């Protein structure tokens, strides 16, 4: 892509995503088969809302959207909005499945096409933590970003106190590249975000 214009590079990257969407539905499987990542549909809202309800206290520590997700319809609207932005903005919400059951979510919040950069987020239900599932899911998404789409960078924003999440991205080689002092308002308190990035070794 180095000999193409910026506009044609962006068009090529978007075309790669659209091909994957049309050919595979963006379904991904980890190398060892521990997890399967399935693009979320509006029909999944009720099941995933129950998962959120069962883990609300666990998730509330570091996720700021719990108070606006109080019924399945809120989640359905969020999924629909994300699906509408997949083709143009690269927004993808994957359900993390383990042994056929949803155990969490991993997502591209968006892809900055001109920078070839995907911003990611993720969460797991409490019973699914500590079993390597988040690592498998993240490694799978990184491989998709780099090897399939040809992106240059994957980025995650993590509050400094979120030690487990920071340890997860560090295991895969992410490094801190900056700090956003006012990263997010989290239930009445402002928290900073460390910005972690992983570069595609192929450039």
């Amino acid at each position: 892509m180095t000999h193409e214009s910026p506009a044609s590079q962006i068009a090529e990257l978007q075309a790669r995503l659209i091909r994957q969407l049309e050919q595979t539905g963006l379904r991904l499987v980890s190398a060892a088969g521990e997890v399967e990542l399935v693009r979320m549909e509006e029909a999944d809202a009720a099941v995933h809302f129950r998962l959120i309800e069962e883990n609300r206290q666990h998730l509330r520590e570091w996720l700021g959207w719990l108070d606006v997700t109080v019924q399945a319809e809120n989640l359905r609207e969020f999924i629909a909005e994300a699906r509408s932005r997949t083709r143009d903005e690269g927004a993808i919400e994957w359900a993390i499945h383990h042994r056929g059951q949803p155990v969490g979510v991993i997502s591209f919040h968006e892809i900055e096409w001109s920078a070839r950069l995907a911003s990611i987020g993720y969460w797991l239900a409490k019973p699914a933590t500590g079993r390597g599932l988040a690592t498998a899911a993240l490694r799978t998404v990184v491989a998709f970003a780099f090897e399939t789409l040809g992106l240059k960078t994957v980025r995650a924003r993590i509050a400094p106190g979120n030690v487990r999440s920071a340890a997860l991205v560090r295991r895969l080689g992410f490094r801190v590249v900056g700090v956003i002092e006012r990263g997010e308002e989290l239930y009445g308190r402002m928290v900073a975000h460390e910005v972690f990035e992983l570069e595609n070794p192929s450039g």
Side-chain angles (χ1 to χ4, degrees):
M1 292 192 293
T2 55
H3 300 293
E4 301 172 355
S5 69
S8 62
Q9 289 180 22
I10 291 171
E12 181 181 339
L13 291 171
Q14 290 177 318
R16 290 179 185 180
L17 177 61
I18 291 169
R19 280 197 299 273
Q20 291 300 311
L21 176 61
E22 294 174 347
Q23 293 173 5
T24 71
L26 300 176
R27 184 179 296 256
L28 307 175
V29 180
S30 62
E34 314 97 317
V35 296
E36 183 178 19
L37 307 184
V38 182
R39 186 180 180 224
M40 294 179 70
E41 301 180 358
E42 294 167 64
D44 300 327
V47 170
H48 280 271
F49 183 72
R50 284 198 296 274
L51 190 65
I52 291 168
E53 285 287 271
E54 292 166 0
N55 291 273
R56 190 169 287 270
Q57 184 175 353
H58 163 67
L59 297 174
R60 189 179 175 87
E61 184 176 13
W62 297 115
L63 298 179
W65 44 263
L66 274 299
D67 284 356
V68 295
T69 309
V70 296
Q71 56 185 355
E73 178 62 18
N74 302 140
L75 191 57
R76 188 199 66 76
E77 291 172 355
F78 172 77
I79 294 169
E81 191 267 344
R83 288 177 66 87
S84 75
R85 296 192 299 112
T86 296
R87 287 177 177 264
D88 292 335
E89 300 176 39
I92 309 170
E93 296 288 323
W94 283 284
I96 303 172
H97 284 208
H98 175 59
R99 296 179 179 173
Q101 298 299 316
V103 295
V105 171
I106 190 164
S107 61
F108 283 177
H109 298 317
E110 64 176 348
I111 296 175
E112 297 177 29
W113 299 108
S114 59
R116 294 166 56 198
L117 182 151
S119 298
I120 64 168
Y122 46 82
W123 61 265
L124 277 185
K126 188 172 183 178
T129 60
R131 300 160 63 184
L133 302 182
T135 301
L138 181 56
R139 186 174 284 118
T140 302
V141 164
V142 166
F144 176 73
F146 291 165
E147 299 168 15
T148 302
L149 298 185
L151 300 182
K152 179 181 178 182
T153 309
V154 176
R155 173 184 292 166
R157 290 172 47 170
I158 301 171
N162 193 347
V163 176
R164 294 185 68 170
S165 189
L168 167 61
V169 296
R170 288 183 190 277
R171 277 197 296 275
L172 271 67
F174 284 71
R175 296 290 181 264
V176 176
V177 298
V179 177
I180 301 171
E181 294 297 337
R182 297 177 64 83
E184 179 184 16
E185 184 177 352
L186 199 61
Y187 309 109
R189 62 187 176 97
M190 187 62 64
V191 299
H193 279 167
E194 291 182 312
V195 181
F196 288 81
E197 288 186 355
L198 179 66
E199 296 293 325
N200 187 336
S202 300

